[in-house]
Amino acid sequence: MSNWWRDAVVYQVYVRSFADGDGDGVGDLAGIRDRLPHLVSLGVDAVWLTPFYPSPMADGGYDVADYCDVDPTFGSLADFDALVSRAHELGLRVLVDVVPNHTSDQHPWFAEALAAAPGDPARDRYLFRDGRGERGELPPNDWESIFGGPAWTRLPDGQWYLHLFDPAQPDLNWRNPAVRADFRKVLGFWLDRGVDGFRIDVAHGMIKHPDLPDTGLDEQISLLGRGELPYFDQDEVHEIYRDWRQLLDSYRGERIGVAEAWASTSERLARYVRPDELHQAFNFALLEASWSAAEFREVVAESLATTAAVGATTTWVLGNHDVQRPVTRYGGGELGTRRARAAALLSFALPGSVYVYQGEELGLPEVLDLPAEARQDPIWKRSGGTDPGRDGCRVPMPWSGDRPPFGFSTGESWLPVPAEWATSTVAEQERGAGSVLRTYREALALRRADPALGDGELEWIGAPEDVLVFRRGSDFVCATNFGTADVALDLPGHLLCRSDAVTSWDGVLPGATTVWLGRINQESS
């Protein structure tokens, strides 16, 4: 057994925005297949695909109308099979999103539920309830949707249904045995087609508190998204993952499950990766950490300790399709770019697995000035335009050329690509010495080649304030300066890689820079 996931580098593809193979302006499976060599040259081990299933696209495909097919926008099952086959030929594993917390309101299960009368077994697949008030005119409780507004919608027959996201995404009732049985079939369908695992959307939310209690909390929207409300992260959810683990283990080739789970403590998050449950759970603590040496160290130390307690490794995540891109989150401009490069190099040196969101290897910033008419995120729509939503991190990848959409498509892209990205394309960065792309490739090649990196132990080394230094193995050291001033460090050894692309090491670490050093206990030859 290789336990490949314990130190894998996984690349997240947002399918709509990675590469368009048919010129309609929307990314698709054929486009991804053609661009797989980019991932090989980058040095990743696996690719994770966001949903590509038939969907009305009320939430970018996370509203699934059929779990066992491909939306025509993205291609066909034959295109999917060709993508998996090509990825495996190139040595890449393929993970796909599964969305078990909710379906689309266009799913046949929900259509059957709507056609049924209150109390009919068809409605028990979802969470239908009578309302409160004299005539049932009030929602069953005070829960709010993550996307804003109430989490309940009333039907003409008077009952209400729960949707923790958009009204077009009704929540399933995972206490119903039929729901569990059907999803086991869904997982088997894709495992039989050769997928290497699943990223499980809203893994912490599938089981709700049986009493559906009020919260009375003003901040419940933010807490709901983090899984910190008392009715989320229910103990019963682990029954589901024990069952899924048995299914995954019944297939050859080490198939895995990865939880998108939020929990109130790192100890509760670690429960998702106990030996008989899932293989990984996204660790969002590093993503949420402010740019601070003390905070990064606290997050790393606590994350490693809690996952080690259950025999698992942690994952390191700096960005994804739901959050602001690191360059912008860390301050934007040149400063944000330097910090994002430093954070990436630091995360690559940590024990465990790393997830890279498409475009991070190009140092892409968040697109903040998308025109209102182009935005499609339901958060933007449900907030009345007060919350920009997540479209800014979903702008299509720039590949080549000097004008938008920079090789992403031969047509007009579904979100506009900024003209200033002409200097950030893959082709341009391949030519430029010291580019973000070249730094990523160099670091990931070193990570793969050095047995001290990936899975294993970490030893902290004393360092000045604003600086983090740790050792991996006997002679590899990673040092990161979170401050703005240069810091002199007594760290002998030869330079392996540095985030600012300078090619020498003189013992001085500039602000917002990470360096990797080898043979730290010996003089370089």
Side-chain angles (χ1 to χ4, degrees):
M1 300 285 284
S2 68
N3 291 339
W4 64 270
W5 65 88
R6 291 182 66 90
D7 59 5
V9 179
V10 183
Y11 186 97
Q12 182 193 354
V13 163
Y14 189 70
V15 174
R16 302 176 81 197
S17 297
F18 190 65
D20 173 20
D22 62 8
D24 66 354
V26 179
D28 50 39
L29 300 180
I32 296 168
R33 185 188 66 234
D34 291 343
R35 294 292 188 178
L36 288 177
H38 171 68
L39 305 188
V40 175
S41 67
L42 188 60
V44 305
D45 302 295
V47 55
W48 152 34
L49 306 176
T50 57
F52 48 80
Y53 314 108
S55 168
M57 298 296 166
D59 183 24
Y62 283 91
D63 49 318
V64 179
D66 183 348
Y67 287 97
C68 295
D69 205 349
V70 174
D71 193 286
T73 301
F74 303 130
S76 64
L77 282 172
D79 290 318
F80 178 82
D81 292 340
L83 167 57
V84 172
S85 176
R86 181 59 178 151
H88 287 168
E89 288 175 2
L90 294 172
L92 296 169
R93 299 179 188 261
V94 179
L95 310 181
V96 300
D97 244 307
V98 63
V99 188
N101 179 72
H102 49 263
T103 71
S104 165
D105 62 354
Q106 302 301 308
H107 195 287
W109 296 341
F110 195 67
E112 182 184 3
L114 291 181
D120 189 280
R123 289 207 169 179
D124 192 51
R125 281 186 175 273
Y126 296 86
L127 291 163
F128 285 86
R129 294 291 186 273
D130 294 329
R132 297 186 292 189
E134 292 183 6
R135 297 174 299 280
E137 71 277 10
L138 300 176
N141 63 27
D142 67 352
W143 295 4
E144 295 195 19
S145 163
I146 293 173
F147 290 166
W152 296 91
T153 290
R154 196 180 192 192
L155 299 174
D157 61 26
Q159 278 205 313
W160 300 72
Y161 70 89
L162 178 69
H163 51 86
L164 293 181
F165 294 85
D166 192 83
Q169 296 168 287
D171 280 46
L172 287 162
N173 174 19
W174 272 87
R175 290 190 173 86
N176 185 329
V179 171
R180 299 195 184 199
D182 280 330
F183 263 89
R184 226 176 183 271
K185 295 176 183 177
V186 168
L187 299 183
F189 177 86
W190 295 106
L191 289 167
D192 289 341
R193 302 193 91 90
V195 304
D196 298 286
F198 302 94
R199 177 266 190 183
I200 303 160
D201 188 58
V202 197
H204 59 292
M206 291 151 62
I207 298 285
K208 280 72 175 177
H209 192 290
D211 299 331
L212 302 182
D214 283 338
T215 67
L217 299 174
D218 293 335
E219 69 272 26
Q220 66 172 294
I221 293 179
S222 62
L223 292 177
L224 182 62
R226 293 174 49 83
E228 294 184 5
L229 284 170
Y231 54 79
F232 248 178
D233 186 30
Q234 298 290 302
D235 289 344
E236 288 174 78
V237 78
H238 298 284
E239 298 172 3
I240 300 169
Y241 299 133
R242 291 188 186 98
D243 179 58
W244 286 14
R245 179 59 180 262
Q246 292 178 4
L247 177 63
L248 290 165
D249 287 349
S250 72
Y251 282 80
R252 303 174 71 178
E254 296 187 285
R255 318 295 180 93
I256 72 167
V258 183
E260 184 218 18
W262 298 86
S264 56
T265 66
S266 56
E267 289 80 10
R268 288 198 66 86
L269 182 63
R271 288 156 55 92
Y272 289 83
V273 291
R274 288 178 289 194
D276 62 342
E277 295 192 38
L278 299 173
H279 301 76
Q280 292 184 335
F282 286 134
N283 176 9
F284 295 116
L286 197 64
L287 182 154
E288 292 193 317
S290 62
W291 183 252
S292 155
E295 194 165 341
F296 265 59
R297 175 165 177 162
E298 180 182 2
V299 164
V300 170
E302 183 178 13
S303 299
L304 292 176
T306 52
T307 53
V310 295
T313 57
T314 192
T315 63
W316 306 109
V317 180
L318 294 176
N320 59 39
H321 65 292
D322 284 332
V323 299
Q324 192 174 73
R325 285 191 174 275
V327 167
T328 303
R329 196 170 69 244
Y330 290 145
E334 182 181 356
L335 176 63
T337 300
R338 286 180 63 88
R339 288 175 170 175
R341 291 178 70 156
L345 214 58
L346 184 156
S347 70
F348 296 163
L350 292 171
S353 177
V354 180
Y355 280 73
V356 175
Y357 177 50
Q358 67 178 49
E360 289 177 2
E361 78 275 25
L362 304 179
L364 298 181
E366 188 87 356
V367 180
L368 301 174
D369 57 352
L370 287 169
E373 63 272 15
R375 295 185 181 272
Q376 299 188 26
D377 191 343
I379 293 178
W380 162 262
K381 297 174 182 177
R382 285 176 64 82
S383 71
T386 60
D387 187 325
R390 301 159 294 175
D391 290 319
C393 66
R394 300 175 176 184
V395 172
M397 278 276 289
W399 292 97
S400 61
D402 58 4
R403 63 183 61 185
F406 301 113
F408 163 74
S409 174
T410 57
E412 183 178 351
S413 57
W414 72 281
L415 283 175
V417 183
E420 58 266 27
W421 282 10
T423 58
S424 299
T425 66
V426 172
E428 187 69 19
Q429 294 203 34
E430 285 177 335
R431 290 189 290 265
S435 67
V436 179
L437 177 59
R438 286 198 169 192
T439 299
Y440 266 66
R441 286 178 176 172
E442 180 184 1
L444 292 179
L446 288 167
R447 174 189 166 94
R448 176 172 289 182
D450 193 329
L453 299 180
D455 199 4
E457 303 296 324
L458 174 150
E459 176 190 354
W460 296 106
I461 297 176
E465 187 180 8
D466 289 336
V467 177
L468 280 188
V469 183
F470 58 84
R471 187 193 314 271
R472 302 295 314 282
S474 62
D475 60 2
F476 175 94
V477 163
C478 174
T480 303
N481 184 356
F482 285 79
T484 56
D486 295 355
V487 176
L489 297 175
D490 184 18
L491 293 175
H494 66 273
L495 179 69
L496 297 174
C497 187
R498 54 189 290 169
S499 61
D500 59 1
V502 176
T503 57
S504 61
W505 170 245
D506 59 2
V508 176
L509 185 60
T513 300
T514 295
V515 298
W516 288 2
L517 300 173
R519 290 197 295 170
I520 199 67
N521 293 320
Q522 308 172 38
E523 293 295 328
S524 59
S525 58

